Amino acid sequence: MDVNEHQELSDIKKFYDSVYYKDKTTDTSENRHYQNLATKLGINTETEILDVACGSGEWLLACSQRGAKIAGIDLSEKAIDICRSTFKNGEFLAQAAENLPFRTDQFNIVSCLGSLEHFVDPVKALKEMRRVASQDAQFVVLVPNADFLTRKLKLFRGTYQVDAKEHVRTLPAWNDLFTEAGLTVTDRWKDLHIVSIKWVKLGPWYAWPFRALQAILLTIWPLKWQYQVYHLCHNTNNH
């Protein structure tokens, strides 16, 4: 990693520590969206899962409640401190995803939810995810879609994480990225976590009708117009 990439990582880390997770605290409330995802992926007591860019651990909480052995890594030390205070068990490290401090063939599920677009070197990070995963592991990656219809209509310009780094690709471009990293996409589905009263009521009240309309539209729009899309991947060598 060159000097510029090191500086970029430092700037991103500063943003997440001092802005994104500044006021974040432990949250052990049940998240219906993550519970549904855990069911879809078959998370159970035999699961050894690594969540890359785990944040404060909401997704890993759903996995832990099903008996999975959990590990998380995030660039933000603040986020990792929250995880360590939340979980009695599990391994949590504050480090960049491009160099994962885990042994080869350790996990049977590796996840990266809503974060790959912020990485300095996403291909290198994905290759590291492959390295620490078993040959038959599942990889579940949630990424934003550049063809999101609201974005194309200039009504949405990205999350405020764009202040750190945000490289949004089309679905074909994401597929090319996964292929370059040695992963084959075997399934894709819509991310509908915003279909909730909690999400609709974020922000000022006068924006609620627009947010509610957007949430409803996402349930009927085709995959190519979605805001975010889940990609289930497997090691290309197994296909």
Side-chain angles (χ1 to χ4, degrees), residues 8 11-12 15-16 19-20 114 117-118 151 156-168 227:
E8 190 172 13
D11 291 343
I12 294 170
F15 170 82
Y16 281 100
V19 178
Y20 193 79
E117 65 274 19
H118 306 299
R151 180 191 294 272
F156 177 73
R157 295 185 178 180
T159 69
Y160 75 100
Q161 295 176 72
V162 72
D163 292 341
K165 176 184 175 64
E166 189 170 69
H167 187 174
V168 180
Y227 168 43

Side-chain angles (χ1 to χ4, degrees), residues 144-161:
N145 174 22
D147 286 330
F148 174 41
L149 188 56
T150 307
R151 180 191 294 272
K152 296 190 77 171
L153 294 175
K154 309 299 184 184
L155 300 175
F156 177 73
R157 295 185 178 180
T159 69
Y160 75 100
Q161 295 176 72

Side-chain angles (χ1 to χ4, degrees), residues 3 24 34 70 105 109 125 129 133 139-140 144 157 167 183 201 203 211 223 229:
V3 174
K24 184 68 175 178
Y34 285 143
I70 60 173
D105 299 332
I109 293 184
M129 294 180 213
F139 301 83
V140 58
R157 295 185 178 180
H167 187 174
L183 295 173
K201 289 188 174 182
R211 294 174 71 87
L223 200 66
V229 175

Side-chain angles (χ1 to χ4, degrees), residues 218-238:
L218 285 180
T219 65
I220 59 176
W221 278 350
L223 200 66
K224 64 180 180 180
W225 288 352
Q226 291 297 308
Y227 168 43
Q228 295 190 120
V229 175
Y230 279 100
H231 293 72
L232 182 65
C233 305
H234 290 83
N235 196 315
T236 300
N237 294 336
N238 292 344

Side-chain angles (χ1 to χ4, degrees), residues 2-46:
D2 63 28
V3 174
N4 290 335
E5 288 176 328
H6 276 293
Q7 184 59 53
E8 190 172 13
L9 273 177
S10 179
D11 291 343
I12 294 170
K13 179 183 183 302
K14 182 178 180 181
F15 170 82
Y16 281 100
D17 279 336
S18 63
V19 178
Y20 193 79
Y21 291 111
K22 179 182 178 182
D23 300 316
K24 184 68 175 178
T25 57
T26 300
D27 182 3
T28 58
S29 59
E30 182 172 302
N31 184 304
R32 177 177 56 84
H33 172 70
Y34 285 143
Q35 291 293 339
N36 291 340
L37 180 60
T39 297
K40 185 179 183 70
L41 295 176
I43 303 293
N44 57 40
T45 56
E46 301 298 317

Side-chain angles (χ1 to χ4, degrees), residues 9-166:
L9 273 177
S10 179
D11 291 343
I12 294 170
K13 179 183 183 302
K14 182 178 180 181
F15 170 82
Y16 281 100
D17 279 336
S18 63
V19 178
Y20 193 79
Y21 291 111
K22 179 182 178 182
D23 300 316
K24 184 68 175 178
T25 57
T26 300
D27 182 3
T28 58
S29 59
E30 182 172 302
N31 184 304
R32 177 177 56 84
H33 172 70
Y34 285 143
Q35 291 293 339
N36 291 340
L37 180 60
T39 297
K40 185 179 183 70
L41 295 176
I43 303 293
N44 57 40
T45 56
E46 301 298 317
T47 301
E48 293 190 37
I49 182 169
L50 169 65
D51 189 26
V52 178
C54 63
S56 52
E58 288 91 344
W59 161 231
L60 287 177
L61 180 62
C63 298
S64 178
Q65 289 170 342
R66 293 168 179 250
K69 183 177 180 181
I70 60 173
I73 186 167
D74 198 284
L75 194 59
S76 168
E77 292 180 7
K78 175 70 184 295
I80 291 300
D81 285 344
I82 294 172
C83 288
R84 289 170 176 162
S85 68
T86 301
F87 300 99
K88 294 181 179 179
N89 300 308
E91 187 175 5
F92 300 96
L93 298 168
Q95 192 166 323
E98 286 82 359
N99 291 287
L100 296 177
F102 300 101
R103 69 177 187 272
T104 299
D105 299 332
Q106 184 171 348
F107 303 98
N108 52 32
I109 293 184
V110 178
S111 58
C112 182
L113 307 183
S115 298
L116 191 62
E117 65 274 19
H118 306 299
F119 288 2
V120 171
D121 191 338
V123 172
K124 184 177 180 181
L126 288 169
K127 288 180 177 179
E128 274 290 274
M129 294 180 213
R130 281 184 58 217
R131 179 186 64 78
V132 302
S134 60
Q135 282 296 307
D136 59 350
Q138 296 184 96
F139 301 83
V140 58
V141 185
L142 176 65
V143 288
N145 174 22
D147 286 330
F148 174 41
L149 188 56
T150 307
R151 180 191 294 272
K152 296 190 77 171
L153 294 175
K154 309 299 184 184
L155 300 175
F156 177 73
R157 295 185 178 180
T159 69
Y160 75 100
Q161 295 176 72
V162 72
D163 292 341
K165 176 184 175 64
E166 189 170 69

